[in-house]
Tab-separated table of all heavy atoms in Angstrom:
chain	number	residue	atom	x	y	z
A	3	ARG	N	1.390	5.230	0.945
A	3	ARG	CA	0.925	6.234	1.899
A	3	ARG	C	1.502	7.590	1.522
A	3	ARG	O	2.712	7.747	1.345
A	3	ARG	CB	1.326	5.872	3.321
A	3	ARG	CG	0.590	4.648	3.870
A	3	ARG	CD	0.741	4.560	5.379
A	3	ARG	NE	2.138	4.410	5.767
A	3	ARG	CZ	2.602	4.623	7.004
A	3	ARG	NH1	1.774	5.023	7.957
A	3	ARG	NH2	3.863	4.439	7.277
A	21	LEU	N	6.861	17.181	10.355
A	21	LEU	CA	7.856	16.353	9.664
A	21	LEU	C	8.353	15.228	10.568
A	21	LEU	O	8.535	14.086	10.110
A	21	LEU	CB	9.032	17.212	9.207
A	21	LEU	CG	8.804	18.118	8.003
A	21	LEU	CD1	10.015	19.018	7.781
A	21	LEU	CD2	8.506	17.304	6.745
A	29	ILE	N	6.577	7.699	6.732
A	29	ILE	CA	6.024	8.289	5.516
A	29	ILE	C	7.110	9.095	4.811
A	29	ILE	O	7.762	9.955	5.421
A	29	ILE	CB	4.827	9.191	5.840
A	29	ILE	CG1	3.697	8.353	6.427
A	29	ILE	CG2	4.345	9.945	4.602
A	29	ILE	CD1	2.539	9.152	6.948
A	122	VAL	N	-14.300	27.837	-0.042
A	122	VAL	CA	-15.433	26.921	0.139
A	122	VAL	C	-15.388	26.361	1.557
A	122	VAL	O	-14.415	25.713	1.950
A	122	VAL	CB	-15.391	25.771	-0.888
A	122	VAL	CG1	-16.539	24.797	-0.637
A	122	VAL	CG2	-15.456	26.317	-2.305
A	143	GLU	N	-5.650	26.309	-16.147
A	143	GLU	CA	-4.723	25.309	-16.653
A	143	GLU	C	-5.488	24.417	-17.624
A	143	GLU	O	-6.679	24.629	-17.873
A	143	GLU	CB	-4.103	24.486	-15.525
A	143	GLU	CG	-5.098	23.725	-14.676
A	143	GLU	CD	-4.432	22.957	-13.548
A	143	GLU	OE1	-3.354	23.361	-13.095
A	143	GLU	OE2	-5.001	21.955	-13.138
A	149	VAL	N	-14.132	14.022	-14.275
A	149	VAL	CA	-14.581	14.533	-12.990
A	149	VAL	C	-13.950	13.696	-11.884
A	149	VAL	O	-14.042	12.463	-11.913
A	149	VAL	CB	-16.118	14.471	-12.893
A	149	VAL	CG1	-16.582	14.909	-11.505
A	149	VAL	CG2	-16.752	15.343	-13.965
A	150	PRO	N	-13.283	14.319	-10.911
A	150	PRO	CA	-12.611	13.518	-9.877
A	150	PRO	C	-13.602	12.827	-8.942
A	150	PRO	O	-14.729	13.290	-8.737
A	150	PRO	CB	-11.782	14.569	-9.129
A	150	PRO	CG	-12.490	15.860	-9.366
A	150	PRO	CD	-13.072	15.760	-10.746
A	151	ASP	N	-13.143	11.739	-8.367
A	151	ASP	CA	-13.911	11.028	-7.343
A	151	ASP	C	-13.680	11.614	-5.956
A	151	ASP	O	-14.557	11.554	-5.090
A	151	ASP	CB	-13.514	9.545	-7.313
A	151	ASP	CG	-13.685	8.870	-8.653
A	151	ASP	OD1	-14.801	8.903	-9.191
A	151	ASP	OD2	-12.692	8.320	-9.169
A	206	SER	N	-13.002	1.307	-13.856
A	206	SER	CA	-13.728	1.004	-12.631
A	206	SER	C	-12.767	1.023	-11.448
A	206	SER	O	-11.596	0.675	-11.567
A	206	SER	CB	-14.381	-0.379	-12.737
A	206	SER	OG	-15.310	-0.400	-13.793
A	209	ASP	N	-10.260	-3.099	-6.405
A	209	ASP	CA	-10.706	-3.690	-5.149
A	209	ASP	C	-9.808	-3.296	-3.982
A	209	ASP	O	-10.043	-3.714	-2.851
A	209	ASP	CB	-10.737	-5.217	-5.272
A	209	ASP	CG	-11.800	-5.708	-6.247
A	209	ASP	OD1	-12.822	-5.009	-6.383
A	209	ASP	OD2	-11.594	-6.762	-6.863
A	213	ASN	N	-8.061	4.851	2.048
A	213	ASN	CA	-8.280	5.399	3.378
A	213	ASN	C	-7.769	6.825	3.458
A	213	ASN	O	-6.750	7.168	2.856
A	213	ASN	CB	-7.553	4.536	4.435
A	213	ASN	CG	-7.814	5.026	5.857
A	213	ASN	OD1	-8.958	5.238	6.250
A	213	ASN	ND2	-6.749	5.219	6.617
A	220	PRO	N	0.484	18.036	18.313
A	220	PRO	CA	0.810	19.130	19.224
A	220	PRO	C	2.236	19.633	18.959
A	220	PRO	O	3.109	18.842	18.561
A	220	PRO	CB	0.710	18.486	20.615
A	220	PRO	CG	-0.047	17.219	20.408
A	220	PRO	CD	0.263	16.770	19.015
A	226	GLU	N	7.104	29.079	19.430
A	226	GLU	CA	6.805	29.818	18.201
A	226	GLU	C	6.412	31.258	18.520
A	226	GLU	O	6.745	32.183	17.771
A	226	GLU	CB	5.694	29.114	17.425
A	226	GLU	CG	5.232	29.832	16.169
A	226	GLU	CD	6.283	29.935	15.079
A	226	GLU	OE1	7.332	29.250	15.173
A	226	GLU	OE2	6.050	30.706	14.123
A	243	ASN	N	-2.252	35.310	18.645
A	243	ASN	CA	-3.572	34.991	19.188
A	243	ASN	C	-4.182	33.792	18.475
A	243	ASN	O	-4.775	32.895	19.113
A	243	ASN	CB	-4.492	36.212	19.050
A	243	ASN	CG	-5.688	36.143	19.981
A	243	ASN	OD1	-5.924	35.142	20.632
A	243	ASN	ND2	-6.447	37.226	20.037
Side-chain angles (χ1 to χ4, degrees):
R3 291 195 298 163
L21 285 173
I29 296 172
V122 177
E143 60 182 27
V149 176
D151 303 304
S206 298
D209 293 331
N213 183 50
E226 176 65 12
N243 199 352

